[in-house]
Amino acid sequence: MKKHLVAPSVLAADFTRLREEIEMVNQSEADWFHLDVMDGRFVPNITFGMFIIEAINKMAQKPLDVHLMIVEPEKYIESFRKAGAQVITVHLEACPHLHRTVHQIKETGALAGVALNPHTPVSLLEDLIEDIDLVCLMSVNPGFGGQKFIYQTLPKIRKLREIIDTANAKTLIEIDGGVGLQNAESLLQAGADVLVAGSSVFGAKDPRATISALKAFTSVFV
Ligand code: DX5
Ligand code: ZN
């Protein structure tokens, strides 16, 4: 049985102690680092870019899952790959030529991810699903950590699982926003493969133990 992945979102880390926080994830059972790039245009917030990702890559001992919440992401894919991204996720809502952008990501050797905002139906990916390595379902409106999980994400996971299985594709389903110990199990039961967790991990008394607890849940699907 394949185990689900846990990807702590560094956005919720204490950046005055970034090395320690990265080291904590290195030592934990986490699988990936989730890195949120925001441009103040696609989302109403600005975070960090390739410069910080390059620095994190020097300390990180696990793959970097880079979530681009930016307009015109196609302009920066090669740069993020060079900075160390192993998964590059773009938003469907930011890509008028999604097929081209997905293949541009794959040509760099990275895994290609497509993120959907909470209101975007999963059916829009039906014709491209075989080409996509990961679908990131946003379970909050992108832009900020620490928001409340939007419950309508659950039926979206089930629908997406069906689309993936019908196409016989290997696409991973990632859930991003408001994920924690309280909903991890139902997300996995619905068909999730990757859990992104920001504040529930870095805000916990014992972040490493929280990561282990997130890893310990089981799913009937993966
Ligand atoms: C939101 C980001 C998320 C965020 C998750 O726009 O894409 O990755 O950091 O944070 P939590 O887990 O605190 O909701
Ligand atoms: Zn994210």
Side-chain angles (χ1 to χ4, degrees):
M1 193 173 75
K2 207 180 98 206
K3 189 84 188 128
H4 64 276
L5 309 181
V6 171
S9 171
V10 174
L11 189 61
D14 177 353
F15 273 70
T16 65
R17 300 187 299 108
L18 190 56
R19 184 180 279 279
E20 278 170 62
E21 298 275 59
I22 300 292
E23 209 41 54
M24 179 280 291
V25 178
N26 283 341
Q27 302 301 322
S28 77
E29 287 184 61
D31 299 278
W32 293 348
F33 286 86
H34 184 84
L35 303 175
D36 291 304
V37 177
M38 305 186 191
D39 65 353
R41 294 186 63 208
F42 181 70
V43 287
N45 195 10
I46 300 177
T47 56
F48 46 78
M50 38 290 234
F51 184 73
I52 297 287
I53 291 179
E54 216 177 309
I56 292 174
N57 192 39
K58 290 189 181 133
M59 304 183 273
Q61 289 162 11
K62 298 177 180 191
L64 306 186
D65 169 31
V66 175
H67 178 191
L68 298 179
M69 284 159 275
I70 64 175
V71 297
E72 300 180 342
E74 65 279 359
K75 286 187 179 169
Y76 305 102
I77 284 162
E78 278 73 22
S79 316
F80 281 107
R81 177 67 177 147
K82 280 202 189 98
Q86 298 200 25
V87 184
I88 299 177
T89 297
V90 294
H91 267 264
L92 175 143
E93 302 85 1
C95 295
H97 306 288
L98 187 61
H99 178 276
R100 180 187 291 154
T101 308
V102 161
H103 283 276
Q104 193 190 338
I105 296 171
K106 288 165 87 100
E107 270 158 32
T108 69
L111 296 182
V114 176
L116 303 186
N117 279 338
H119 72 279
T120 304
V122 293
S123 57
L124 289 182
L125 291 178
E126 235 158 350
D127 300 326
L128 192 56
I129 198 70
E130 290 146 85
D131 295 357
I132 303 172
D133 297 301
L134 172 145
V135 175
C136 174
L137 291 182
M138 290 309 303
S139 37
V140 297
N141 285 296
F144 303 93
Q147 301 182 79
K148 195 170 163 272
F149 179 82
I150 296 173
Y151 71 89
Q152 286 96 330
T153 310
L154 275 164
K156 285 179 79 174
I157 303 174
R158 290 188 205 102
K159 273 187 214 157
L160 180 58
R161 182 86 266 158
E162 217 177 288
I163 292 171
I164 292 168
D165 293 348
T166 306
N168 226 340
K170 293 198 169 56
T171 318
L172 296 172
I173 303 180
E174 178 176 70
I175 312 300
D176 187 9
V179 174
L181 297 174
Q182 73 291 346
N183 56 11
E185 189 159 29
S186 46
L187 299 172
L188 295 170
Q189 295 301 329
D193 302 294
V194 186
L195 302 178
V196 174
S199 44
S200 66
V201 163
F202 289 99
K205 268 218 180 86
D206 189 343
R208 253 178 84 176
T210 306
I211 292 169
S212 297
L214 286 169
K215 280 292 285 183
F217 290 109
T218 48
S219 148
V220 287
F221 281 95
V222 289

